[in-house]
């Protein structure tokens, strides 16, 4: 089982893999890593069960694994595990996510 599959978000938390920006232009020119900006787009990897209301009922989030989402410029908790160095994973609250992309 991969390290990402072992991370199970709690409550309304959402685990997101940030999409990396292209390092090569359409014409084939490579862009240096320092000049590439972070994309504010990601893919939902896993979703927690949702918030609990005052009555004790679970309120599910409107996201599912595989959804493409628009992320805020700042925020989210970075996940730093030894086995996840090649990709960037963030943990957000569902309410912090700006939009779901189609």
């Amino acid at each position: 089982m991969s390290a990402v599959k072992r991370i199970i978000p709690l409550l309304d938390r959402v685990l997101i893999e940030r999409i990396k920006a292209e390092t090569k232009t359409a014409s084939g020119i490579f862009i240096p890593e320092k000049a590439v900006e972070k994309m504010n787009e990601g893919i939902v990897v896993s979703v927690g069960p949702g918030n609990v209301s005052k009555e004790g009922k679970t309120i599910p989030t409107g996201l599912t694994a595989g959804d493409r989402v628009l992320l805020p410029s700042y925020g989210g908790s970075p996940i730093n595990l030894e086995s996840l160095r090649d990709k960037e994973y963030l943990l957000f609250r569902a309410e912090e996510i700006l939009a779901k992309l189609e």
Side-chain angles (χ1 to χ4, degrees):
M1 182 185 273
S2 72
V4 172
K5 296 293 181 186
R6 292 186 300 197
I7 300 172
I8 302 168
L10 299 176
L11 298 174
D12 68 334
R13 304 294 195 293
V14 180
L15 180 64
I16 295 181
E17 177 185 342
R18 188 183 295 268
I19 296 175
K20 289 188 176 185
E22 291 291 323
T23 57
K24 186 176 168 183
T25 64
S27 60
I29 299 171
F30 286 98
I31 302 170
E33 285 186 28
K34 294 198 178 218
V36 175
E37 292 185 24
K38 286 188 177 181
M39 301 261 309
N40 62 343
E41 194 174 321
I43 297 175
V44 176
V45 176
S46 60
V47 181
N51 266 340
V52 179
S53 69
K54 291 180 182 178
E55 294 82 32
K57 296 180 181 177
T58 302
I59 304 167
T61 63
L63 299 169
T64 57
D67 287 346
R68 289 178 65 124
V69 292
L70 188 64
L71 304 172
S73 300
Y74 300 100
S77 301
I79 306 296
N80 296 320
L81 296 176
E82 193 68 30
S83 58
L84 302 176
R85 289 194 168 199
D86 57 334
K87 296 181 181 177
E88 184 180 1
Y89 291 95
L90 300 162
L91 206 58
F92 282 94
R93 294 186 79 97
E95 62 197 30
E96 293 175 340
I97 295 172
L98 302 176
K100 186 171 159 180
L101 303 173
E102 302 234 348

